[in-house]
Amino acid sequence: LERVAATKEIPYKLFQIDDGWFKKRGDFTENDKFSSMKTLADKIKAKGFIPGIWVSPHAVAEDSDIFLNHKEWLVKNGNGEVHPARALDFSHPQAKKWLKDLFVKLTEEWGYKYIKVDLIAPVMCAGRYYEPSFNSLKNYRESMRIIREAVGEDVFILACTAPLMASVGLADGIRTSVDIFENYDSLLRVFGRSLNRTYLSDGLLTNDTDCILIRKSGNEDEECFRNCVRTDREIEAYLTAFAASGSPMIHSDKLSLLSAEQIKLLSYLSPLSEKAECPYFMNQTIPCVLDFGRRGNFEILAFINWGEKKENFTVYKKGFVFEFWRKEFYGYSDGSMTVEVLPHEAKLFTVGNGNGV
C-alpha cells in the first residue's frame, strides 16, 4: 500500500484485496494473515484510494458451516442430494439472508466500495431449487439482485466469470476475458475474447480484461505466482491491446520489483483510457487493427501482428506518421502507406499534420 501511494507516475484510484483474505468459501471472515479487513479498508481510504475486495459467494467449501449444517440452502441434484458444485440456492429465504448480510458487512460495516464477485459460471448448475421455477440463470440473476440491493448504487460490482448479458442492469462491470497467465499464448486467449466484446462498454457494462502483468524473470521473487516469459515486444503488444480494450487498468505486479522504466511503461496507459474501434474485427479472430480515433491533436492507430509471420498493414489516415514504441518517424501518409509489423509486435502510430493541430 505504501509503495502504491508513493508511485506518483500513475494516477491510481483503487486498491483491491484479492483472493486469499478469508478462511474458506462460505466463511468470509479474516484468516490468520489478515487481522481486520475494516482496519485495512480504513488504511486504504486514508491513502486516497477506493478500497476493493474479492469474494466468491456462489458456492461453498465442503468443510464450511453452510455445507455441514445448512444443506437445505444448496442446489440439489435429481436425487435430492447436494449438487457436486455445492452451489447456493438463492431461492431459499435463509440463503438470501446470508448473501445480503455478507454484502452489508463488506460495504457498510467494513467500507469496501469495489467488489469483485468471482467464480460464478463454473458453479451455475442444472438442478433442483427450493423454488421449483428457478434454474441456474434465474438463480444468478436473483443473487445479483440481492447483492445490488445490499450495497446500493455507490458500490462498483464487477461480475467475474459470469454470463455476459445476464449481468446487465445488476453489475457495473463484467470480465470479458479469461485470466491472464505468464506466456504469449495467454495474450491470444485474453484478447481474442476481450477485443471482440468491447461493444459491452457502449452503455451496458464496463469491460474488464483482467489485470496487467508486465514483469519479466528479473522482476520476480519467491512469492510470485506466475513466472512471466514474455519478450519486450510482446509486452508492448499486450499494453497496446489492453489500452484498446477500454478496460480499467488493474496492475498486479509487485511495484517494488519493477524498474523505473517499467513503471514508465505502465504510465503510458493512462491517457488511452477509452476503448478503440476494431474496424475489421469481423474478418479477424483477434482484432489486429485498433483505431483509437482522435486524441488531442492526433489520430491514433495501432496494428498488432498476433501471428508467426511478418504482416503488412495500411495506415489509412492522412498525415505525418510517428511510431510510438520504436520512436520512429515514417513520413507522410496519403492514406495508403504500407507498414511492416513483425510477429508478436505492435506498432502504435500518431498521425497529424505536423503543426500540432
Side-chain angles (χ1 to χ4, degrees):
L1 180 57
E2 298 293 337
R3 181 66 179 83
V4 174
T7 304
K8 303 304 182 184
E9 300 91 333
I10 304 170
Y12 287 117
K13 297 180 180 179
L14 168 73
F15 191 99
Q16 182 207 310
I17 308 301
D18 210 65
D19 188 5
W21 61 268
F22 53 89
K23 290 181 178 178
K24 63 191 68 173
R25 294 184 72 185
D27 182 3
F28 293 102
T29 54
E30 299 94 331
N31 59 30
D32 293 339
K33 293 182 180 179
F34 293 81
S35 58
S36 170
M37 296 305 291
K38 182 183 185 308
T39 299
L40 183 53
D42 290 341
K43 289 180 179 178
I44 294 169
K45 284 187 285 187
K47 292 294 183 181
F49 303 123
I50 298 168
I53 197 167
W54 185 101
V55 68
S56 57
H58 287 82
V60 299
E62 205 165 12
D63 58 348
S64 66
D65 176 70
I66 292 175
F67 185 82
L68 295 174
N69 300 307
H70 301 287
K71 289 186 174 64
E72 68 276 14
W73 299 4
L74 302 175
V75 179
K76 308 301 189 294
N77 61 21
N79 297 323
E81 300 170 341
V82 173
H83 192 283
R86 301 191 299 276
L88 277 156
D89 176 357
F90 295 111
S91 72
H92 194 286
Q94 292 304 310
K96 291 176 189 279
K97 182 179 184 304
W98 174 85
L99 186 65
K100 180 178 180 180
D101 290 347
L102 170 62
F103 279 82
V104 168
K105 178 177 75 172
L106 296 176
T107 56
E108 289 188 19
E109 296 179 18
W110 289 358
Y112 290 90
K113 296 298 183 181
Y114 177 100
I115 312 290
K116 179 179 176 181
V117 184
D118 203 355
L119 303 180
I120 298 167
V123 298
M124 291 178 65
C125 51
R128 291 170 55 183
Y129 291 80
Y130 178 83
E131 170 55 57
S133 68
F134 262 55
N135 55 34
S136 61
L137 196 58
K138 191 171 182 179
N139 196 51
Y140 169 63
R141 289 282 296 180
E142 178 65 6
S143 73
M144 295 303 290
R145 184 196 66 77
I146 294 167
I147 292 170
R148 173 55 72 194
E149 182 180 276
V151 305
E153 295 299 324
D154 65 335
V155 172
F156 188 98
I157 300 172
L158 172 66
C160 191
T161 61
L164 301 180
M165 300 312 293
S167 302
V168 174
L170 294 170
D172 298 291
I174 188 78
R175 169 66 61 78
T176 53
S177 71
V178 294
D179 287 355
I180 187 71
F181 292 105
E182 64 276 12
N183 53 26
Y184 175 75
D185 287 347
S186 174
L187 301 184
L188 304 181
R189 294 189 293 273
V190 166
F191 293 107
R193 291 164 174 82
S194 181
L195 290 177
N196 283 308
R197 292 169 169 173
T198 57
Y199 66 88
L200 289 166
S201 294
D202 294 331
L204 295 175
L205 292 158
T206 298
N207 181 353
D208 178 81
T209 311
D210 200 15
C211 58
I212 300 171
L213 297 174
I214 66 162
R215 67 174 181 263
K216 299 169 70 176
S217 59
N219 306 117
E220 295 177 339
D221 60 17
E222 66 280 358
E223 294 181 340
C224 288
F225 187 61
R226 302 286 177 193
N227 295 315
C228 293
V229 293
R230 283 182 280 269
T231 67
D232 288 339
R233 288 182 186 268
E234 289 168 352
I235 290 170
E236 291 166 1
Y238 179 9
L239 293 175
T240 302
F242 200 99
S245 75
S247 172
M249 297 163 190
I250 307 293
H251 301 162
S252 192
D253 289 310
K254 280 186 176 180
L255 294 182
S256 59
L257 298 179
L258 298 182
S259 68
E261 186 59 33
Q262 288 170 312
I263 296 293
K264 188 176 181 180
L265 277 180
L266 292 175
S267 74
Y268 290 151
L269 285 171
S270 298
L272 298 176
S273 58
E274 297 178 8
K275 70 181 179 70
E277 298 298 326
C278 306
Y280 306 114
F281 81 98
M282 293 293 288
N283 301 321
Q284 302 164 341
T285 302
I286 311 177
C288 304
V289 179
L290 307 171
D291 191 335
F292 291 87
R294 179 166 287 277
R295 305 293 172 93
N297 295 323
F298 300 95
E299 297 281 337
I300 300 181
L301 182 65
F303 305 119
I304 302 179
N305 182 356
W306 298 108
E308 302 301 323
K309 298 179 180 179
K310 291 188 292 187
E311 296 282 352
N312 290 327
F313 294 87
T314 300
V315 178
Y316 54 82
K317 297 177 182 290
K318 294 182 178 181
F320 292 98
V321 179
F322 180 82
E323 203 284 314
F324 176 78
W325 292 118
R326 303 275 78 78
K327 303 295 187 286
E328 293 177 353
F329 178 60
Y330 276 63
Y332 184 82
S333 168
D334 63 358
S336 62
M337 176 186 284
T338 298
V339 295
E340 182 181 84
V341 184
L342 299 175
H344 303 193
E345 181 182 43
K347 288 196 170 176
L348 179 62
F349 294 104
T350 59
V351 184
N353 66 10
N355 296 318
V357 179

